[in-house]
């Protein structure tokens, strides 16, 4: 008989403890330095690659872990170490998931390993969808992909922005419009192989948080890629475009939404890692900081703050684990449970890190303590991978069926 259990099994515990050790021994001691340097921490990515933590195999194993919690557990531990370095280590998975979700078996086999490189020669990959005029509104993409039938090549032109690893990536995955009149149904994803002429990095952004993760514009100026770089292949695209032109409801948009629902819990788990780290610092501080002759935790006002922090972290984790379990078991996200988990975890990270700063008083405001960095890092979790408002929109539409704008 199957019983209900929230206990991670021995495999998940082993992964959690292994990654926790790496986060504590390698990531955390380096966090402040790379945050100040605002550079990709290549030596740490390489160290992770040598240990097998930065590898396609590792993520694939966690991704297909039948418990569903392999990826959330891994993300929480790495981001407990540090979010900027965590994103530098995991940013490649964004592009890898795009290939896994849209590519043929042959495309997955060709491109996914190249995205990670080898432990001796590590590489990163970038997923480029957002544009200056198309952030939340992904249907407004202007980057064009035009097919050159004579050469069996696609020609890409446009400017992408906010790309994690943009310009420093070995492989870029670019979303472009093939037929602008069809909005998001007229779009397709393309792999831009290493060294392709016409792709260049625009400005690199100086950011508020996650500063060890590289974020930049990517300019595509007459970029020519072979026909086989269209993810999913031309036949499938042509059939999808034909359905869209006829106004037939195709599976394309629903499939994209299902992919988002399945990937958002992983982002929520990253936010939980940050929140848990800040909570632990605050709990420790509240126990040892003495004012008015007693540890500040003995004030109900402070203890209640910590109680709320811990409760929200645990609630967020349950939402994330549920959504991940649903994804692995192919349950329909009828109430947008993936978006729910990301919304709640992102807001929780911002709430908990702000409370932690308050509990640390003046020290919380300095770079002597890590909570101000954690607070800066947390702020992105209500913005990227869909802002909190967009998550609410998705949930509201799912539960109501109404065309809420
Ligand atoms: C550090 C960082 C890394 C990123 N990495 C990547 C990446 O690797 N690849 C990639 O493609 N993109 C990436 N992004 C882009 C990110 O996904 C977008 O910034 C995000 O989707 C929001 O788009 P926007 O910034 O254009 O904001 P906008 O869409 O302009 O939104 C501005 C505000 O308006 C609100 N809003 C917009 N529409 C509505 C609505 N209908 N109802 C209510 N409120 C609304 C938003 O919630 C937000 O508060 C990254 C961004 C950052 C900052």
């Amino acid at each position: 008989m199957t019983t209900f259990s929230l206990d991670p099994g021995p495999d998940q515990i082993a992964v959690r403890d292994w990654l926790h050790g790496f986060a504590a021994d390698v990531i955390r001691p380096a966090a402040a330095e790379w945050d100040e340097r605002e550079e990709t921490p290549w030596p740490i990515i390489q160290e992770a690659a040598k240990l097998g933590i930065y590898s396609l195999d590792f993520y694939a194993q966690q991704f297909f872990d039948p418990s569903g919690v392999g990826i959330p557990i891994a993300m929480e531990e790495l981001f407990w170490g540090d979010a900027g370095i965590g994103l530098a280590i995991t940013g490649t998975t964004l592009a890898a998931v795009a290939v896994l979700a849209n590519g043929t078996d042959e495309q997955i086999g060709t491109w996914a390993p190249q995205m990670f490189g080898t432990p001796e020669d590590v590489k990163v990959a970038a997923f480029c969808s957002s544009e200056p005029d198309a952030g939340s509104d992904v249907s407004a993409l202007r980057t064009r992909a035009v097919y050159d039938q004579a050469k069996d090549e696609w020609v890409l032109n446009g400017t992408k922005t906010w790309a994690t690893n943009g310009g420093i990536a070995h492989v870029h995955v670019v979303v472009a419009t093939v037929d602008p009149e069809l909005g998001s149904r007229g779009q397709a994803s393309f792999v831009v192989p290493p060294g392709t002429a016409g792709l260049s990095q625009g400005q690199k952004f100086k950011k508020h948080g996650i500063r060890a993760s590289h974020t930049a514009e990517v300019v595509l100026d007459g970029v020519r890629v072979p026909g086989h770089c269209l993810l999913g292949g031309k036949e499938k695209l042509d059939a999808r475009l034909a359905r869209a032109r006829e106004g037939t409801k195709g599976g394309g948009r629903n499939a994209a939404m299902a992919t988002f629902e399945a990937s958002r819990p992983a982002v929520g788990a990253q936010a939980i890692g940050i929140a848990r780290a800040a909570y632990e610092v605050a709990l420790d501080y509240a126990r040892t900081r003495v004012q008015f002759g007693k540890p500040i935790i003995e004030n109900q006002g402070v203890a209640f703050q910590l109680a709320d922090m811990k409760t929200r972290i645990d609630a967020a984790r349950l939402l994330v684990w549920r959504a991940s379990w649903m994804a692995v078991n192919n349950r329909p996200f009828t109430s947008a449970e993936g978006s729910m988990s990301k919304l709640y975890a992102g807001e929780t990270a911002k709430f908990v890190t702000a409370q932690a700063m308050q509990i640390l008083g003046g020290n919380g405001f300095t770079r002597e303590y890590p909570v101000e960095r954690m607070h800066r890092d947390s702020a992105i979790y209500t913005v990227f991978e869909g802002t909190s408002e967009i998550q609410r929109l998705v949930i509201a539409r799912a539960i109501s069926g109404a065309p809420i704008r």
Side-chain angles (χ1 to χ4, degrees):
M1 199 180 92
T2 319
T3 52
F4 177 75
S5 170
L6 286 169
D7 287 331
D11 290 352
Q12 290 89 43
I13 290 172
V15 167
R16 184 193 67 194
D17 293 350
W18 179 40
L19 292 195
H20 188 78
F22 182 75
D25 299 342
V26 181
I27 297 180
R28 202 170 257 203
E33 180 193 337
W34 292 100
D35 173 58
E36 292 295 341
R37 286 173 66 165
E38 300 195 43
E39 286 170 9
T40 300
W42 288 107
I44 298 184
I45 301 176
Q46 186 148 28
E47 184 76 20
K50 279 188 187 141
L51 294 171
I53 293 169
Y54 182 73
S55 76
L56 179 61
D57 277 0
F58 173 72
Y59 288 111
Q61 255 176 32
Q62 300 319 311
F63 193 74
F64 293 111
D65 174 8
S67 76
V69 296
I71 290 284
I73 284 178
M75 291 295 179
E76 182 175 333
E77 293 312 318
L78 292 173
F79 283 70
W80 172 90
D82 178 61
I85 297 176
L87 199 62
I89 293 175
T90 59
T92 295
T93 58
L94 264 181
V97 166
V99 172
L100 282 176
N102 303 304
T104 61
D105 287 348
E106 202 184 337
Q107 287 170 327
I108 295 168
T110 305
W111 299 113
Q114 290 197 46
M115 291 179 168
F116 290 86
T118 63
E120 294 71 41
D121 185 17
V122 283
K123 304 289 186 202
V124 292
F127 174 69
C128 311
S129 171
S130 303
E131 295 181 3
D133 293 322
S136 300
D137 182 6
V138 287
S139 67
L141 295 187
R142 288 192 190 159
T143 295
R144 278 299 302 264
V146 176
Y147 187 54
D148 178 346
Q149 194 157 9
K151 293 187 172 155
D152 182 27
E153 286 178 346
W154 287 91
V155 187
L156 307 175
N157 278 293
T159 300
K160 293 292 176 182
T161 193
W162 307 125
T164 299
N165 297 334
I168 63 166
H170 194 52
V171 176
H172 291 76
V173 175
V174 171
V175 187
T177 178
V178 178
D179 185 340
E181 284 181 13
L182 297 177
S184 52
R185 297 186 75 188
Q187 295 167 358
S189 298
F190 300 85
V191 168
V192 181
T196 303
L199 184 150
S200 61
Q201 184 184 305
Q203 71 159 310
K204 177 187 168 186
F205 294 103
K206 289 183 77 69
K207 306 197 296 295
H208 177 68
I210 54 161
R211 300 197 301 184
S213 168
H214 172 104
T215 316
E217 289 175 336
V218 172
V219 181
L220 302 146
D221 183 10
V223 170
R224 285 185 163 266
V225 298
H228 61 77
C229 287
L230 163 66
L231 289 176
K234 188 145 188 318
E235 219 171 280
K236 208 169 150 194
L237 173 69
D238 287 343
R240 183 155 58 82
L241 294 179
R243 279 200 305 273
R245 284 184 192 120
E246 283 164 11
T248 321
K249 277 204 191 293
R253 191 160 170 74
N254 290 342
M257 291 309 285
T259 307
F260 279 135
E261 286 301 315
S263 63
R264 282 180 175 152
V267 182
Q270 298 173 359
I272 294 169
I274 304 171
R276 192 182 107 213
Y279 160 77
E280 287 173 3
V281 175
L283 178 63
D284 195 41
Y285 193 89
R287 282 186 176 135
T288 50
R289 172 70 176 165
V290 173
Q291 284 294 277
F292 301 101
K294 62 180 182 185
I296 58 169
I297 199 168
E298 289 182 22
N299 297 290
Q300 203 179 68
V302 175
F304 277 18
Q305 277 181 304
L306 287 157
D308 282 345
M309 290 156 77
K310 174 72 171 144
T311 303
R312 286 191 58 164
I313 291 168
D314 282 14
R317 187 183 297 108
L318 285 172
L319 285 174
V320 162
W321 282 15
R322 175 180 72 166
S324 292
W325 177 86
M326 290 174 71
V328 164
N329 290 288
N330 291 317
R331 296 291 195 275
F333 289 98
T334 47
S335 302
E337 290 86 349
S339 297
M340 265 187 211
S341 73
K342 194 272 178 179
L343 167 64
Y344 195 72
E347 293 291 338
T348 293
K350 243 169 123 174
F351 168 81
V352 167
T353 53
Q355 296 287 306
M357 278 179 74
Q358 189 64 19
I359 290 171
L360 266 69
N363 280 328
F365 199 63
T366 71
R367 295 193 183 185
E368 295 297 307
Y369 284 79
V371 291
E372 71 78 32
R373 186 182 70 246
M374 293 165 182
H375 186 52
R376 284 188 286 108
D377 291 345
S378 73
I380 193 60
Y381 284 86
T382 60
V383 176
F384 70 5
E385 291 285 306
T387 66
S388 286
E389 292 73 29
I390 294 304
Q391 311 298 337
R392 290 186 178 100
L393 202 61
V394 173
I395 298 162
R397 283 178 185 159
I399 60 176
S400 68
I404 299 161
R405 300 261 148 235

